[in-house]
Amino acid sequence: MEFNPFDDRWWLAGSSLNWISAAIAARPAWMPCEGAVERLRGRRARTISAVRLLAAYRTLETRQAHALDPSLPALPKAAFWLDMLGAGFCEPGFPIAVDGKQAASPLSADWMAVRLPPHEDIMPRLAEALDLTPPELATLAPCRGPGSLDWRPNLRGQRQYDRHNLICADLAVARAAEGWRTLGEAWGRFDLICHDPLMGAGGPDLELIGENETVCIELTASMGQSLSAKFNRWARVLRHPGTERVHVVWLAAARTVEGIPERLAALSAERPRQHWAIAEDWRDSPVCPDGFAPKPGTPPEPYDWMRADMDRVGEAVGLPSAGSWKRPRVLMGDSIPF
């Protein structure tokens, strides 16, 4: 069954997933350990890409990971994901069944989410296994804090809000297809947006960078007293020099919570460059009720842009299967946003 994070059937038992940790539970038979690190060493670039995405987006369904970086396999039962699990570089999460028919295996579940292990910082093991250089390590995630002299990323699962994270990843997939550069939660930080370390390392759930403007996404499912404070904090961020092209879009995570749209509409109307919408509507059509409809600029070439041309050229010279030849990565485009 196709995964849709807005589909309530996946969240009947709550907004969290059923996570399996090899560190604290018996290792399932489908999670191979022997030889996993060695095999991943042979897929070094793919492994780095996967860890980078997981550090940025917190939680990803495997098809979302594939959409954000086509070098990663889409199916949860792919050997690459099984090796990532076996090496302990990520953990699997499955929807919690309420009918007693729990499918907690990439071989049988409808879909599988992955996250960095929350019980361990995998950075030392990953750096040793892949012989990572300091520049490669520095691109995996932001440093441990503003002004920190320790530039090494903390590669540990944190800030896990499963449904929330998966919705944000779904929004990133939709906007990346239009040509936006997408940055996950780990990279969307106030101190990086307005270059003011006093604003702290909090920030948006998703950041979209276009040719003419930057759109910061805040996803909310409640309207407590802190909501107004969050709007005010963004107002302070947007007053900084250099943020004139930054907009904030507040998205209601669910339609069923009464009063949220009205509250978001009222708070955003009082503050410049802050807008609101319903998350599922905005995923399908990025237009806010106030008319704000950002454009990314010139969309990138599709990932498979060469295949049809190579088929035609190959047929003309007697090589009809040329479109299926393996191409150098430089000809496939770089889908990694940082």
Side-chain angles (χ1 to χ4, degrees), residues 100-296:
K101 300 177 181 178
Q102 183 67 52
S105 163
L107 308 180
S108 57
D110 290 299
W111 51 272
M112 181 180 78
V114 282
R115 69 178 183 184
L116 294 179
H119 307 289
E120 176 198 6
D121 179 0
I122 67 167
M123 191 276 292
R125 289 199 301 113
L126 184 74
E128 180 180 3
L130 302 183
D131 193 22
L132 297 179
T133 64
E136 287 174 326
L137 277 172
T139 64
L140 290 174
C143 63
R144 297 178 189 269
S148 172
L149 297 178
D150 191 349
W151 51 265
R152 294 170 299 180
N154 184 358
L155 298 178
R156 182 195 302 272
Q158 52 190 330
R159 294 181 60 83
Q160 297 295 146
Y161 305 103
D162 300 334
R163 182 175 182 270
H164 187 105
N165 295 151
L166 291 171
I167 287 176
C168 287
D170 219 46
L171 299 173
V173 169
R175 300 289 79 84
E178 298 171 348
W180 290 96
R181 225 174 135 219
T182 64
L183 298 180
E185 180 186 352
W187 289 91
R189 296 183 357 182
F190 292 133
D191 60 325
L192 298 178
I193 292 171
C194 63
H195 305 287
D196 181 355
L198 297 180
M199 291 305 301
D205 297 314
L206 176 65
E207 192 172 350
L208 308 175
I209 300 177
E211 290 182 3
N212 301 309
E213 55 197 349
T214 296
V215 179
C216 297
I217 304 301
E218 288 279 12
L219 188 69
T220 183
S222 64
M223 54 177 182
Q225 294 181 348
S226 63
L227 186 60
S228 180
K230 291 178 181 178
F231 269 85
N232 290 333
R233 189 178 189 187
W234 266 113
R236 293 195 297 274
V237 170
L238 296 178
R239 285 197 291 268
H240 281 75
T243 64
E244 294 82 3
R245 296 184 177 182
V246 177
H247 291 255
V248 184
V249 175
W250 294 82
L251 298 178
R255 303 176 185 274
T256 55
V257 182
E258 185 177 353
I260 284 187
E262 292 79 9
R263 180 72 170 146
L264 293 179
L267 289 170
S268 59
E270 301 169 355
R271 297 165 176 83
R273 286 181 283 138
Q274 299 200 47
H275 320 272
W276 78 278
I278 302 296
E280 189 172 7
D281 295 341
W282 195 85
R283 178 196 62 180
D284 300 333
S285 178
V287 180
C288 296
D290 64 3
F292 178 64
K295 302 294 183 184

Side-chain angles (χ1 to χ4, degrees), residues 52-53 56-57 68-69 180-184 187 209 334-338:
R52 182 182 286 127
L53 282 177
Y57 289 93
L68 292 169
D69 184 347
W180 290 96
R181 225 174 135 219
T182 64
L183 298 180
W187 289 91
I209 300 177
D334 188 356
S335 61
I336 302 171
F338 33 81

